[in-house]
Amino acid sequence: MGEKNFLTDRFEAERGRLSAVAFRMLGSRAEAEDAVQEAWLRLERAGGDGIDNPAGWLTTVVGRICLDMLRARTKRREDPIDGENGEMQHVDPRAAADEQSALADSVGLALLVVLERLAPAERLAFVLHDMFDVPFEEIGRIVGRTPVAARQLASRARRRVQGLPETPSADYERRKRVVAAFLTASRDGDFSGLLAVLDPDVVFHADADAVRLGSLAEIHGAQAVATTFKGKATAARLALIDGNLGLAVILGGELRIVVRMDVDGDQIVAIDSIADPARIAAFEVEYL
């Protein structure tokens, strides 16, 4: 009983901040409260075991819940509504207007307009870092990226908020050249070319679905990664994945694998291979 009271007290101490984070992420008080309540249920199930920083743990959990909700919302917008009794019929216009007004009061009308146009991962990175000072290391864990990639997400979102070009042209072109050089070297079997664009300590990760397709789960170091990719990537295309440069692998006319790349300077520091169909469906992929 005492442990539950302790967890309740810690959660209640964070509830206001968590609700503010979720509201700015989702733009709906009802959905924000659902996200916060789900975080409490997960904390209760975990029982506090191994949670050294409850505030950080709860922020991470709420962030992931909000990210999933935003991605689901994006997918629903893309799915056709059958018949005349679609989901939008059940939305109360007055309630929706009240939500928009409250959020506009909270973040400003101009910012609200831009937030609605951001990809889910961009919105999360911007809200958590620029509004709540969450470090990029934590944001990276929430979105499944490196801190470098999380910083790029927030930077791109910030530029859109400020009305600047979405991506600094010089930085974008530099990173595009690096990823394109990797793709060309991989296709051509150019081992030296691969080494030239890989950080000596580059780390490659593959999800369980990619492993089932024949990938290793984890590879460390430029030599090993270059050996793995030498002569490969024949079915890959250069692509923007949630706004970040990477590769899209097309097999049988379908997008089967997404390869995310984090570029620092003129070298690739991390590569993630994702073949989970559900995760791929949640990405915003633009072929270049």
Side-chain angles (χ1 to χ4, degrees):
M1 187 68 178
E3 181 182 356
K4 184 170 183 178
N5 287 340
F6 173 75
L7 288 177
T8 301
D9 291 343
R10 294 305 301 267
F11 178 78
E12 290 300 328
E14 298 296 329
R15 180 188 285 275
R17 184 179 62 84
L18 296 173
S19 295
V21 169
F23 183 48
R24 285 164 177 78
M25 282 290 300
L26 300 169
S28 162
R29 291 200 185 280
E31 288 187 337
E33 288 307 313
D34 287 344
V36 172
Q37 182 61 25
E38 176 61 24
W40 160 248
L41 294 175
R42 295 186 188 185
L43 177 64
E44 194 175 33
R45 286 196 295 268
D49 294 337
I51 302 176
D52 298 324
N53 179 8
W57 189 90
L58 285 166
T59 300
T60 297
V61 170
V62 168
R64 286 175 177 162
I65 293 169
C66 289
L67 187 61
D68 289 342
M69 293 171 76
L70 284 171
R71 285 172 170 167
R73 184 189 296 172
T74 300
K75 189 174 188 304
R76 286 198 301 270
R77 288 198 200 107
E78 294 170 353
D79 290 340
I81 297 176
D82 295 327
E84 297 179 357
N85 297 316
E87 181 181 355
M88 292 304 294
Q89 181 179 347
H90 304 289
V91 176
D92 183 343
R94 289 173 298 180
D98 289 343
E99 294 285 2
Q100 291 294 91
S101 177
L103 186 57
D105 288 343
S106 175
V107 302
L109 182 58
L111 177 55
L112 171 60
V113 171
V114 180
L115 283 178
E116 290 296 330
R117 296 175 182 170
L118 297 179
E122 289 178 341
R123 181 163 178 163
L124 181 139
F126 176 77
V127 167
L128 289 185
H129 183 266
D130 286 42
M131 295 184 181
F132 294 95
D133 295 321
V134 177
F136 288 119
E137 288 76 10
E138 291 184 29
I139 295 171
R141 286 193 290 270
I142 294 172
V143 298
R145 307 283 188 87
T146 65
V148 171
R151 182 179 289 105
Q152 290 172 351
L153 285 171
S155 176
R156 186 165 58 251
R158 192 178 305 116
R159 292 183 68 84
R160 294 180 69 177
V161 166
Q162 295 170 348
L164 299 173
E166 293 183 15
T167 314
S169 58
D171 180 61
Y172 171 80
E173 291 300 332
R174 174 184 55 76
R175 288 186 287 114
K176 184 178 179 181
R177 283 195 298 271
V178 171
V179 177
F182 175 92
L183 177 59
T184 299
S186 176
R187 285 175 174 169
D188 294 345
D190 180 1
F191 189 75
S192 297
L194 286 167
L195 288 180
V197 295
L198 291 171
D199 183 270
D201 298 318
V202 62
V203 178
F204 168 87
H205 291 284
D207 70 2
D209 289 83
V211 170
R212 281 193 286 272
L213 290 175
S215 174
L216 294 175
E218 191 167 300
I219 307 169
H220 291 263
Q223 293 275 344
V225 172
T227 298
T228 298
F229 279 91
K230 180 182 176 183
K232 303 291 179 63
T234 54
R237 291 181 58 181
L238 194 65
L240 282 174
I241 302 155
D242 279 351
N244 279 343
L245 285 156
L247 304 177
V249 180
I250 313 297
L251 299 173
E254 295 183 3
L255 175 59
R256 296 290 303 278
I257 304 172
V258 162
V259 182
R260 301 188 311 200
M261 296 187 173
D262 295 340
V263 179
D264 190 11
D266 293 320
Q267 293 185 313
I268 297 166
V269 297
I271 303 173
D272 290 307
S273 180
I274 300 158
D276 178 352
R279 293 183 65 192
I280 289 176
F283 290 131
E284 182 180 328
V285 179
E286 178 184 349
Y287 301 110
L288 301 177

